[in-house]
Coordinates of all heavy atoms in Angstrom, one line a residue:
S463 N -14.5 2.9 12.5 CA -14.6 3.9 11.4 C -13.3 4.8 11.5 O -12.6 4.9 12.5 CB -15.9 4.7 11.5 OG -15.8 5.6 12.6
L464 N -13.0 5.5 10.3 CA -11.9 6.4 10.4 C -12.1 7.4 11.4 O -11.1 7.9 12.1 CB -11.8 7.1 9.0 CG -11.5 6.0 7.8 CD1 -11.4 6.9 6.5 CD2 -10.2 5.3 8.0
E465 N -13.3 8.0 11.6 CA -13.5 9.0 12.6 C -13.4 8.4 14.0 O -13.0 9.0 15.0 CB -14.8 9.7 12.4 CG -14.9 10.5 11.2 CD -14.8 9.8 9.9 OE1 -15.4 8.7 9.7 OE2 -14.1 10.4 9.0
E466 N -13.7 7.1 14.2 CA -13.6 6.5 15.5 C -12.2 6.3 16.0 O -11.9 6.4 17.1 CB -14.3 5.1 15.4 CG -14.9 4.5 16.7 CD -15.7 3.3 16.4 OE1 -16.0 3.0 15.3 OE2 -16.0 2.5 17.4
I467 N -11.4 6.1 14.9 CA -9.8 5.9 15.3 C -9.3 7.3 15.8 O -8.5 7.2 16.7 CB -9.1 5.5 14.0 CG1 -9.5 4.1 13.6 CG2 -7.6 5.5 14.2 CD1 -9.1 3.7 12.3
D468 N -9.9 8.4 15.4 CA -9.5 9.7 16.0 C -9.8 9.7 17.5 O -9.1 10.3 18.3 CB -10.3 10.9 15.3 CG -9.9 11.0 13.8 OD1 -8.8 10.5 13.4 OD2 -10.7 11.7 13.1
I469 N -11.0 9.1 17.9 CA -11.4 9.1 19.3 C -10.4 8.3 20.1 O -10.1 8.6 21.2 CB -12.8 8.5 19.4 CG1 -13.9 9.2 18.5 CG2 -13.3 8.6 20.8 CD1 -14.0 10.7 18.9
I470 N -9.9 7.1 19.6 CA -9.0 6.4 20.3 C -7.8 7.2 20.7 O -7.3 7.1 21.9 CB -8.5 5.1 19.4 CG1 -9.6 4.2 19.2 CG2 -7.3 4.4 20.0 CD1 -9.3 3.0 18.2
F471 N -7.2 8.0 19.9 CA -6.0 8.7 20.1 C -6.4 9.9 21.1 O -5.5 10.3 22.0 CB -5.3 9.2 18.9 CG -4.5 8.1 18.2 CD1 -5.1 7.3 17.2 CD2 -3.2 7.8 18.5 CE1 -4.5 6.2 16.6 CE2 -2.6 6.7 17.9 CZ -3.3 5.9 17.0
A472 N -7.5 10.5 20.9 CA -7.9 11.5 21.9 C -8.1 10.9 23.2 O -7.7 11.6 24.2 CB -9.2 12.2 21.3
K473 N -8.6 9.7 23.3 CA -8.9 9.2 24.7 C -7.5 8.8 25.3 O -7.3 9.1 26.6 CB -9.7 7.8 24.5 CG -9.8 6.9 25.7 CD -10.6 5.6 25.4 CE -10.6 4.8 26.6 NZ -11.5 5.3 27.7
G474 N -6.5 8.3 24.6 CA -5.3 7.9 25.1 C -4.6 9.2 25.6 O -3.9 9.2 26.7
Y475 N -4.6 10.2 24.8 CA -4.1 11.5 25.2 C -4.6 12.1 26.5 O -4.0 12.5 27.4 CB -4.1 12.4 24.0 CG -3.4 13.8 24.3 CD1 -2.0 13.9 24.2 CD2 -4.2 14.9 24.7 CE1 -1.4 15.2 24.5 CE2 -3.6 16.2 24.9 CZ -2.2 16.3 24.9 OH -1.6 17.5 25.1
C476 N -6.0 12.3 26.4 CA -6.7 12.9 27.6 C -6.7 12.1 28.8 O -6.6 12.8 29.9 CB -8.1 13.2 27.1 SG -8.3 14.4 25.8
E477 N -6.6 10.8 28.7 CA -6.6 10.0 29.9 C -5.2 9.5 30.3 O -5.1 8.8 31.3 CB -7.6 8.8 29.7 CG -9.0 9.2 29.5 CD -10.0 8.0 29.3 OE1 -9.5 6.9 29.6 OE2 -11.1 8.3 28.9
N478 N -4.2 9.9 29.5 CA -2.8 9.6 29.8 C -2.6 8.1 30.0 O -2.0 7.6 30.9 CB -2.3 10.4 31.2 CG -0.9 10.4 31.1 OD1 -0.1 10.3 30.2 ND2 -0.3 10.4 32.4
I479 N -3.2 7.3 29.0 CA -2.9 5.9 28.9 C -2.3 5.5 27.6 O -2.3 6.3 26.6 CB -4.3 5.1 29.2 CG1 -5.3 5.5 28.1 CG2 -4.8 5.4 30.6 CD1 -6.6 4.7 28.2
S480 N -1.8 4.3 27.5 CA -1.3 3.9 26.2 C -2.4 3.8 25.2 O -3.6 3.5 25.5 CB -0.6 2.6 26.4 OG -1.5 1.5 26.3
Y481 N -2.0 4.0 24.0 CA -3.1 4.0 22.9 C -3.5 2.6 22.5 O -4.6 2.4 22.0 CB -2.5 4.8 21.6 CG -2.1 6.2 21.9 CD1 -0.8 6.5 22.3 CD2 -3.1 7.1 22.0 CE1 -0.4 7.8 22.6 CE2 -2.8 8.4 22.4 CZ -1.4 8.8 22.7 OH -1.2 10.1 23.1
V482 N -2.6 1.7 22.8 CA -3.0 0.2 22.7 C -4.2 -0.1 23.7 O -5.2 -0.7 23.4 CB -1.9 -0.7 22.9 CG1 -2.3 -2.2 23.0 CG2 -0.8 -0.6 21.9
R483 N -4.0 0.4 25.0 CA -5.1 0.3 26.0 C -6.3 1.0 25.6 O -7.4 0.6 25.8 CB -4.4 0.7 27.3 CG -5.4 0.7 28.4 CD -4.8 1.0 29.8 NE -5.8 1.2 30.8 CZ -5.6 1.9 31.9 NH1 -4.3 2.3 32.2 NH2 -6.6 2.1 32.8
A484 N -6.1 2.3 25.1 CA -7.3 3.1 24.8 C -8.1 2.4 23.7 O -9.3 2.4 23.8 CB -6.8 4.4 24.3
A485 N -7.5 1.8 22.7 CA -8.2 1.0 21.7 C -9.0 -0.1 22.3 O -10.1 -0.5 21.9 CB -7.3 0.5 20.7
K486 N -8.4 -0.9 23.2 CA -9.1 -2.0 23.9 C -10.2 -1.6 24.8 O -11.3 -2.2 24.8 CB -8.0 -2.7 24.8 CG -7.0 -3.5 24.1 CD -6.1 -4.3 25.0 CE -4.9 -5.0 24.2 NZ -4.1 -5.8 25.2
E487 N -10.1 -0.4 25.5 CA -11.1 0.0 26.4 C -12.3 0.8 25.7 O -13.5 0.8 26.3 CB -10.5 0.9 27.4 CG -9.6 0.2 28.4 CD -9.0 1.2 29.4 OE1 -9.4 2.3 29.5 OE2 -8.2 0.6 30.3
L488 N -12.0 1.4 24.5 CA -13.1 2.2 23.9 C -14.1 1.2 23.2 O -13.8 0.4 22.4 CB -12.5 3.1 22.9 CG -13.5 4.0 22.1 CD1 -14.1 5.1 23.1 CD2 -12.8 4.6 20.9
E489 N -15.4 1.4 23.7 CA -16.5 0.6 23.1 C -16.6 0.9 21.7 O -16.3 2.0 21.2 CB -17.8 0.7 23.9 CG -18.4 2.1 23.8 CD -17.9 3.2 24.8 OE1 -16.7 2.9 25.3 OE2 -18.5 4.2 24.9
F490 N -17.2 0.0 20.9 CA -17.5 0.3 19.5 C -18.7 1.3 19.5 O -19.7 1.2 20.2 CB -17.9 -1.0 18.7 CG -16.8 -1.9 18.5 CD1 -16.5 -3.0 19.4 CD2 -15.8 -1.6 17.5 CE1 -15.4 -3.8 19.1 CE2 -14.7 -2.4 17.3 CZ -14.5 -3.5 18.2
L491 N -18.5 2.4 18.6 CA -19.4 3.5 18.7 C -20.3 3.6 17.4 O -19.9 3.2 16.3 CB -18.6 4.8 18.8 CG -17.7 4.9 19.9 CD1 -16.8 6.3 19.8 CD2 -18.4 5.0 21.3
T492 N -21.5 4.0 17.7 CA -22.5 4.3 16.6 C -22.0 5.7 16.0 O -21.2 6.4 16.6 CB -23.9 4.5 17.0 OG1 -24.0 5.5 17.9 CG2 -24.3 3.1 17.6
D493 N -22.6 6.1 14.9 CA -22.3 7.5 14.3 C -22.7 8.5 15.3 O -21.9 9.5 15.5 CB -23.1 7.7 13.0 CG -22.6 6.9 11.9 OD1 -21.5 6.4 12.0 OD2 -23.3 6.7 10.9
E494 N -23.8 8.4 16.0 CA -24.1 9.4 17.0 C -23.2 9.3 18.2 O -22.8 10.3 18.8 CB -25.6 9.1 17.6 CG -26.7 9.4 16.5 CD -26.9 8.2 15.6 OE1 -26.1 7.1 15.7 OE2 -27.8 8.2 14.7
G495 N -22.7 8.1 18.6 CA -21.7 8.0 19.7 C -20.4 8.6 19.3 O -19.8 9.2 20.2
I496 N -20.0 8.6 18.1 CA -18.7 9.2 17.6 C -18.8 10.7 17.8 O -18.0 11.3 18.4 CB -18.4 8.9 16.2 CG1 -18.1 7.4 16.0 CG2 -17.3 9.6 15.7 CD1 -18.0 6.9 14.5
D497 N -20.0 11.3 17.4 CA -20.2 12.7 17.7 C -20.1 13.1 19.1 O -19.5 14.1 19.4 CB -21.6 13.1 17.0 CG -21.8 14.6 16.8 OD1 -20.8 15.2 16.3 OD2 -22.8 15.1 17.2
A498 N -20.8 12.2 19.9 CA -20.8 12.6 21.4 C -19.4 12.5 22.0 O -19.0 13.4 22.7 CB -21.8 11.6 22.1
K499 N -18.6 11.4 21.7 CA -17.3 11.3 22.2 C -16.3 12.4 21.6 O -15.5 12.9 22.4 CB -16.7 9.9 21.8 CG -17.3 8.7 22.5 CD -16.8 8.8 24.0 CE -17.2 7.5 24.8 NZ -16.7 7.5 26.2

Side-chain angles (χ1 to χ4, degrees):
S463 72
L464 297 177
E465 287 68 37
E466 206 171 347
I467 294 168
D468 293 340
I469 306 297
I470 290 173
F471 285 91
K473 175 181 174 67
Y475 178 81
C476 292
E477 298 180 11
N478 196 28
I479 59 176
S480 80
Y481 300 96
V482 172
R483 179 181 165 190
K486 288 179 180 177
E487 292 182 357
L488 183 68
E489 68 275 17
F490 289 99
L491 303 172
T492 62
D493 288 343
E494 292 81 0
I496 292 170
D497 192 49
K499 284 289 185 182

